[in-house]
Amino acid sequence: MTQAFTPEDAGQLVMVDIQGKTLDAATAAFLREHKIRAVCLFRKNLGTEKEVRQLTRELREVMGPHALIGLDQEGGSVVRATFLPQAPSAMALGAAGDSELCERVGAAVARGLRSIGVNWNFAPVLDINNNPANPVIAERSFSERADEVTRLAGAWMWGSLREGVACCVKHFPGHGDTHVDSHLALPTVDKSRAELDALELRPFHALREIAPAVMTAHIVYPQIDPEYPATLSATILGGILRKEWGYEGVVITDALMMKAICERYGYDRAAVLALQAGADMILAQGSLEEQGQSLRALREAFARGELTPAQGARARDRLDRLARAYPVSHDDYDGAVREADGALMAEAWARGLTALRAAKAPALHAPLRVYVQTDVPTDMVSEAGPTGAQIAGLFSGFADAEIVMLDDLLGLDWSQVPQDGRQTIVASTHRMRYGAHAGQWRPDLHLVLWNPFQALDVQGPTVVSWGYADGALAALKSWLQGELAATAASPVSLG
C-alpha cells in the first residue's frame, strides 16, 4: 500500500547540490530537516577519490536507503570525476561507430561511478546535433543522424545499466538544433510535431522502454507549446511523454538555476510548474536559501491543492523504484579491472581519431610552428580545456617545433604569421567557433581538440580528436609521430 504523501514530504521530490567537498553539519541538518533524498555532485564537490567515497557514504547515511547521488559523467568534456578512467565523448564513439565499443565504455563508466558511491549518471545525451552553430551540445552528441544516436546511445546505456548505475537520457525533447545555450538564455526551436517526430524525438521514443530516467530541456517549442519551455510544459511532459508514450520512468528537470528558467519564472514558481507538467523531481541548485525557495513553494502548493497527494505519491514511488533498482554502493575498483578500463578508454579515443582533407602527420625532422591558446578555463558546464603546455607536449618528439602561446586563439592574425618555411599548425583547445575572420587562416595542419565544427571554419588538412582527455591527447600524439592511423569517419557533416 502506498504511503500517504503530505506537504512535508515535498523534499523527496527535490535534488539539491552542496557547497563543499565534505558534508558539513549545517548541510546535513538541512537534508534531514527537509527529507531530501537526492544530491547532485559537481566538480566543486570532488576532492580525492578517497574523499569522494567518504562524502557519498555520509550522504547515503543522512538521506537513507533510497538515496540518489548523481552527477554528469558523459565522457569527453563533460566529466566530473576526472580521477576515474575518462571516457571518450559521444561523438568520438560516433566516429568509431561500434555499438559493442559503446556498451563496453558505458559499463566501464558505471563501474567507476559505482565505486565512489554514485548511482545516477546524467548520461547519455540523446540530442541529435544537426546544427553546427549549437553552442552547448556539439561533441556531446553521438551523431547528426537519429538512427545512429539511438543505436550507439542505447548500447552505452545497456552497459551502464548492466553494471548497476542508472542512466538519465537528455535533453528531452531535443537540444541539438539550438543557437542558444540554455544556461544563458531561453532557446527556441520552431519545429512542428511532425518535424520533431522525424528527428529529435526518435531516439527518446525508441529508447523509452529501457531508459530509467529522462532529463528535460529548457527550450520553447512554440508550435507545440507557445507558452512554456519543455521543462514546464504539461503539453510536452504530461502529454507527449507521459500520456501518449506511456513513459513511467523518472522525469527530472535540468537545473532550475539556469537563466532560461530562473530569470523568467523564479525558483519557486518553476518548481511547481515542473511538477504540474509531469516531472517527478526538480534539480534545485544554489544556496540553501535558493533551494529553500523551491522547497517552500512545493510544500505550499501541496498544502493549497495546486499539487495533489496523488501526484506527490506517484512521483515518490517512481523515485523509490529507481533507487531500489540502482542502490548506492562502494565497490572496490583497484587492480586489473581498473587497469583494463583505462586501456579500453585509450583504445576508444584512438579509434575515434578522424583525419579530414587528406591530413598527414608532418615529418619528425620538419621545422614547425604551432599556435595554441595558453589556457582555456572551465565554463562550468565542461571541464577546463587542455593547457598550451599539454599541447606543446604533443610535439616533444619533433626536432624543431616552435610553440607560440596566445592569450586568445581567436585573436590570431594570419597576416602576422611568418612565411619562413616552417610548417604552420593551429591547435584549437576551446569550444567556441572561430568566426568569419578565421577564413583567412591557411595552416598546413589544423588540430581540432574540442568543437568539431571548427573544421568548417578553416579550410585545409584537419585532424579531429573530439575531445582533450588524456586518451585523446595520447592518440593524437601517436598520430603526429606516425605511429597511429586516423581511420574513423565523422558522424557529422564537416564539409
Side-chain angles (χ1 to χ4, degrees):
M1 183 177 180
T2 301
Q3 183 180 359
F5 189 93
T6 69
E8 287 68 35
D9 295 320
Q12 292 283 291
L13 312 183
V14 177
M15 173 175 262
V16 302
D17 70 338
I18 61 176
Q19 295 308 309
K21 293 180 173 63
T22 60
L23 183 61
D24 61 83
T27 302
F30 179 86
L31 297 175
R32 288 192 181 96
E33 176 188 355
H34 296 289
K35 300 183 181 179
I36 290 170
R37 53 100 61 78
V39 164
C40 187
L41 300 179
F42 293 88
R43 195 74 191 88
K44 65 183 180 181
N45 306 122
L46 305 186
T48 66
E49 195 165 342
K50 181 179 179 181
E51 289 170 336
V52 175
R53 287 196 184 97
Q54 181 61 29
L55 173 60
T56 56
R57 285 191 181 96
E58 292 174 359
L59 286 170
R60 163 65 175 74
E61 182 178 347
V62 167
M63 295 192 296
H66 290 168
L68 292 165
I69 301 175
L71 53 61
D72 297 287
Q73 195 82 352
E74 298 173 14
S77 65
V78 182
V79 293
R80 306 299 177 227
T82 54
F83 46 73
L84 296 173
Q86 291 186 42
S89 64
M91 207 164 276
L93 292 170
D98 185 340
S99 60
E100 181 184 359
L101 179 66
C102 286
E103 184 170 353
R104 291 165 62 204
V105 167
V109 170
R111 282 191 289 271
L113 293 180
R114 197 179 65 215
S115 75
I116 59 172
V118 171
N119 60 340
W120 198 4
N121 187 7
F122 296 124
V125 168
L126 296 192
D127 302 321
I128 301 166
N129 204 109
N130 63 327
N131 183 347
N134 193 314
V136 70
I137 302 300
E139 84 294 344
R140 297 169 66 190
S141 168
F142 285 91
S143 177
E144 66 186 5
R145 293 184 292 156
D147 290 345
E148 279 295 276
V149 171
T150 301
R151 181 175 73 91
L152 300 176
W156 197 102
M157 195 187 317
W158 275 120
S160 178
L161 300 179
R162 187 180 70 242
E163 291 294 330
V165 173
C167 293
C168 184
V169 297
K170 59 188 185 185
H171 306 79
F172 180 82
H175 208 316
D177 193 12
T178 59
H179 289 78
V180 174
D181 182 350
S182 54
H183 293 84
L184 307 176
L186 182 61
T188 295
V189 175
D190 192 11
K191 290 186 174 182
S192 68
R193 174 63 191 278
E195 289 174 305
L196 293 173
D197 282 338
L199 191 68
E200 281 86 352
L201 287 173
R202 281 171 59 189
F204 291 99
H205 185 264
L207 297 174
R208 70 192 187 283
E209 297 294 338
I210 67 168
V214 172
M215 178 175 280
T216 65
H218 299 334
I219 301 174
V220 174
Y221 301 81
Q223 296 189 47
I224 310 299
D225 185 340
E227 185 174 3
Y228 291 114
T231 293
L232 312 179
S233 172
T235 303
I236 293 174
L237 300 187
I240 296 173
L241 186 58
R242 292 295 195 197
K243 292 180 182 177
E244 185 180 328
W245 291 4
Y247 184 70
E248 280 300 319
V250 167
V251 175
I252 182 171
T253 72
D254 207 341
L256 297 186
M257 71 178 295
M258 291 162 62
K259 291 184 179 181
I261 297 295
C262 72
E263 289 189 349
R264 286 167 173 77
Y265 303 95
Y267 287 87
D268 45 4
R269 183 172 175 232
V272 176
L273 287 171
L275 264 60
Q276 288 177 330
D280 301 300
M281 176 166 272
I282 63 166
L283 176 50
Q285 295 171 240
S287 66
L288 294 183
E289 171 55 32
E290 289 167 330
Q291 294 169 359
Q293 292 178 35
S294 298
L295 288 160
R296 287 191 297 274
L298 291 180
R299 283 198 300 268
E300 291 169 3
F302 278 111
R304 291 193 301 265
E306 294 176 19
L307 292 166
T308 68
Q311 286 175 303
R314 188 160 54 244
R316 183 185 58 195
D317 288 349
R318 291 188 184 115
L319 290 158
D320 286 348
R321 189 163 62 243
L322 182 72
R324 285 194 298 269
Y326 304 96
V328 173
S329 63
H330 292 84
D331 295 351
D332 179 66
Y333 191 53
D334 291 322
V337 172
R338 185 177 189 138
E339 184 177 340
D341 285 349
L344 169 65
M345 300 311 192
E347 173 198 347
W349 276 113
R351 288 179 59 184
L353 196 65
T354 304
L356 305 174
R357 308 179 192 119
K360 295 181 180 179
L364 292 176
H365 63 271
L368 309 177
R369 180 175 289 111
V370 182
Y371 289 93
V372 66
Q373 189 164 313
T374 305
D375 290 295
V376 180
T378 177
D379 60 5
M380 308 311 295
V381 177
S382 304
E383 298 302 307
T387 65
Q390 286 177 282
I391 303 310
L394 299 179
F395 297 90
S396 61
F398 286 79
D400 185 7
E402 175 188 323
I403 310 297
V404 182
M405 300 283 186
L406 303 173
D407 291 336
D408 183 359
L409 186 63
L410 297 180
L412 176 60
D413 181 353
W414 202 256
S415 69
Q416 300 301 309
V417 173
Q419 303 299 312
D420 56 3
R422 287 183 179 270
Q423 292 186 42
T424 304
I425 298 175
V426 172
S428 174
T429 57
H430 64 80
R431 174 182 285 279
M432 294 179 291
R433 294 284 298 273
Y434 296 139
H437 75 281
Q440 305 302 314
W441 297 358
R442 291 293 182 269
D444 296 294
L445 181 62
H446 183 201
L447 304 179
V448 176
L449 285 89
W450 195 336
N451 185 340
F453 296 106
Q454 291 169 346
L456 296 172
D457 299 333
V458 177
Q459 296 304 306
T462 301
V463 174
V464 184
S465 66
W466 315 101
Y468 50 86
D470 289 347
L473 296 180
L476 186 54
K477 184 172 185 177
S478 293
W479 181 84
L480 286 165
Q481 295 184 157
E483 301 164 353
L484 176 71
T487 58
S490 176
V492 291
S493 302
L494 295 179

